[in-house]
Structures are given as C-alpha cells and as structure tokens.
C-alpha cells in the first residue's frame, strides 16, 4: 500500500502532483478546499472502519506512519497522565505493550516520549504476532495502551485485536483500569474491511470500546508520498496537551 513497496506511478498521478506542488497544505485559510477534502477523507474512512450512528470520528492527515503512531501513542500517554493526576497517583512510570514484530516506529515512540516499551516475544504458537497470553501477563495500572498491528512486518499476519480487547475488558472489570488500543493499520486498513477472513478476530476496528485510535496509508492522492490518516473515535482519548492553535502562518 505504501510507497516503500511501490515501483510504478500512473502518469495521471504524476500530473496531479505537479499541478498542486504550489499549494501549501499548512495554510487552511488560503486553501479551504483542501481542508474540505481532508474532512471528507476522514469521514469516508471512519465509516469504512465501523463508526456507529451518533458517533463522530476525529482524524488528522500526517506525513507518514511514524507521525501517526507517535500522535496515537502520545494521546494515550496524556490520557493516562490526566487520569493519574485526577486520582493523585504517581505518573512517572508509564509503559506501553507491543510485540517484538512491531516496526521500529512503535519502539521510537516509547524512546522519544519516555515510555517503557514492554516488547513481548512472538513465537510459532502466536503465529509470530503479539501473543494475547503475554499481554495478559504484562498489563498493569501504568500501561497507557497496546499497539496492535493489522499487517505484521514479519509475515503480514493481522494481530488478534478482538481477543486482546476482551482481555482488556476483563482487566477493566477487575481493576477499574481502562487500557486503550492503537491499531496500526498501515498495511491492512484498506484491505481488511473488504475481506471475509475475519482478520484480527471478527472485529478489529471501532465496533468495540478499546480501539480508540487507528491509522492507515492513504495512497490515492499522492501515490509516491504516503499520507496517513490518524483517527480517534472517542473524544475522551484526545487531550488538550496534544492540540495547538494557529493564529498565523509562521
């Protein structure tokens, strides 16, 4: 799906890119049509991913999967910190869980934003993807979230999102700690909705509580320069700390 595995681009796509090189994506006031297209893309994808009637997904285009992952992880960290502040608890030891098959951008998030990366072994038994049993053994009150991959870097396998979600449901029922999921759908986000393979379990997106954010590669607009759409479904995952207001173009 992304340009790092692409070897060809249609002439029409090249012409479209050249035609729009002079447009500044940062200046929403000067190019409102571009922001309208952005909003339509977010809406289309949120419905593709199972947004329910009465729910609103919030999305943002990014310049690549690393930025999308970092935004999703940072939102989970800020959400956890705000909850710890409200409860008067220590917030110095956040951790996040991922499989050893995760792409390096997930580990970079942990390193850059001072979160302990709990990198769990994968095995033949777990089909070389995140092992739900190890997730169950490694979550605690300091876990800010779980990175689950829809298209493993190793094998292309989709990780069992629904099974992990049920583990987190049980954990919340016992402890009161709500741990969210970020689905890295950079490889599978455009494929899974149209398959009948029940990837990641029968459900993997916004049809159940934990997957509060997700991402995928958008290739239709700029085939050789991947754009990511990073989405949050439930507003409580967002944090004021993650938002900026721009009063002028700097």
């Amino acid at each position: 799906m992304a340009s790092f595995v692409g070897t060809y681009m249609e002439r029409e796509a090249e012409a479209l890119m050249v035609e729009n090189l002079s447009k500044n994506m940062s200046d929403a006031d000067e190019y409102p049509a571009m922001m309208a297209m952005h909003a339509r893309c977010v809406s289309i994808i949120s419905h593709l991913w199972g947004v329910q009637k009465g729910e609103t997904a919030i999305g943002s285009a990014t310049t690549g999967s690393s930025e999308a992952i970092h935004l999703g992880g940072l939102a989970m960290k800020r959400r956890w910190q705000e909850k710890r502040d409200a409860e008067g608890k220590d917030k110095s030891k956040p951790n996040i869980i991922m499989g050893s098959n995760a792409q390096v951008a997930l580990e970079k998030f942990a390193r850059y934003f001072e979160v302990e990366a709990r990198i769990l072994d994968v095995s033949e038994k777990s089909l070389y993807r995140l092992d739900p049993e190890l997730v169950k053994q490694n979550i605690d009150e300091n876990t800010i979230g779980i990175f689950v991959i829809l298209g493993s870097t190793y094998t292309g396998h989709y990780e069992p999102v629904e099974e992990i979600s049920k583990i987190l449901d049980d954990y919340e029922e016992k402890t009161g700690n709500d741990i969210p999921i970020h689905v890295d759908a950079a490889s599978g986000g455009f494929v899974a909705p149209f398959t009948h393979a029940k990837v990641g379990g029968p459900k993997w997106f916004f049809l159940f509580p934990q997957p509060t954010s997700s991402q995928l590669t958008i290739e239709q607009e700029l085939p050789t320069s991947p754009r990511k759409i990073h989405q949050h479904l439930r507003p409580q995952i967002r944090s004021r700390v993650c938002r900026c207001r721009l009063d002028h173009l700097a």
Side-chain angles (χ1 to χ4, degrees), residues 26 65 75 77 79 102 161 174 188 210 217 229 231 233-234:
S26 300
S65 61
K77 181 183 178 183
R79 174 180 182 265
V161 183
K174 293 176 182 176
Q210 277 78 19
T217 304
I229 290 290
Q231 292 206 350
L233 177 59
R234 292 162 184 89

Side-chain angles (χ1 to χ4, degrees), residues 1-246:
M1 296 295 290
S3 64
F4 55 82
V5 294
T7 58
Y8 170 79
M9 183 171 63
E10 292 80 0
R11 291 180 180 177
E12 293 82 0
E14 289 181 347
L16 183 63
M17 290 176 65
V18 172
E19 189 178 300
N20 291 279
L21 285 175
S22 61
K23 293 183 174 60
N24 188 341
M25 286 187 68
S26 300
D27 194 345
D29 292 330
E30 188 68 24
Y31 302 104
M34 187 169 290
M35 297 312 296
M37 289 173 60
H38 178 280
R40 288 172 62 191
C41 286
V42 169
S43 177
I44 291 168
I45 294 166
S46 69
H47 285 85
L48 190 65
W49 287 351
V51 66
Q52 300 299 292
K53 187 175 182 180
E55 292 181 323
T56 301
I58 296 91
S60 174
T62 69
T63 53
S65 61
S66 293
E67 185 182 358
I69 287 165
H70 291 182
L71 283 175
L74 185 58
M76 291 191 293
K77 181 183 178 183
R78 296 304 194 215
R79 174 180 182 265
W80 174 82
Q81 287 175 324
E82 290 174 357
K83 183 175 183 291
R84 301 290 285 184
D85 281 337
E87 296 172 350
K89 295 181 179 179
D90 176 64
K91 58 179 182 180
S92 63
K93 298 178 181 178
N95 68 73
I96 192 159
I97 289 175
M98 67 192 82
S100 60
N101 59 318
Q103 62 152 307
V104 69
L106 279 66
E107 190 175 348
K108 282 182 178 179
F109 159 76
R111 183 169 298 182
Y112 295 166
F113 292 99
E114 299 179 323
V115 176
E116 176 196 351
R118 294 189 174 175
I119 302 175
L120 309 183
D121 290 338
V122 299
S123 64
E124 185 177 358
K125 174 178 172 289
S126 70
L127 298 178
Y128 301 103
R129 56 185 188 170
L130 185 61
D131 189 330
E133 286 302 314
L134 293 181
V135 170
K136 188 184 300 184
Q137 296 169 22
N138 283 275
I139 52 178
D140 58 35
E141 65 177 357
N142 292 316
T143 303
I144 66 170
I146 316 289
F147 280 139
V148 184
I149 306 171
L150 212 66
S152 166
T153 308
Y154 283 4
T155 63
H157 275 106
Y158 292 165
E159 296 189 324
V161 183
E162 184 170 24
E163 187 177 350
I164 292 170
S165 179
K166 289 177 179 177
I167 289 171
L168 298 180
D169 281 340
D170 292 341
Y171 181 76
E172 182 181 6
E173 188 175 341
K174 293 176 182 176
T175 67
N177 294 318
D178 175 21
I179 300 175
I181 289 173
H182 175 86
V183 178
D184 179 356
S187 297
F190 269 145
V191 179
F194 302 103
T195 67
H196 300 282
K198 296 186 177 180
V199 293
K203 302 173 187 173
W204 59 271
F205 43 23
F206 292 148
L207 292 178
F208 43 83
Q210 277 78 19
T212 48
S213 65
S214 194
Q215 67 181 73
L216 87 165
T217 304
I218 302 298
E219 288 299 316
Q220 277 71 5
E221 290 183 75
L222 298 177
T224 62
S225 180
R227 289 290 180 265
K228 301 282 177 171
I229 290 290
H230 173 249
Q231 292 206 350
H232 292 303
L233 177 59
R234 292 162 184 89
Q236 65 267 29
I237 193 69
R238 295 174 295 154
S239 168
R240 289 186 299 276
V241 184
C242 297
R243 299 199 301 264
C244 300
R245 177 175 176 177
L246 183 65

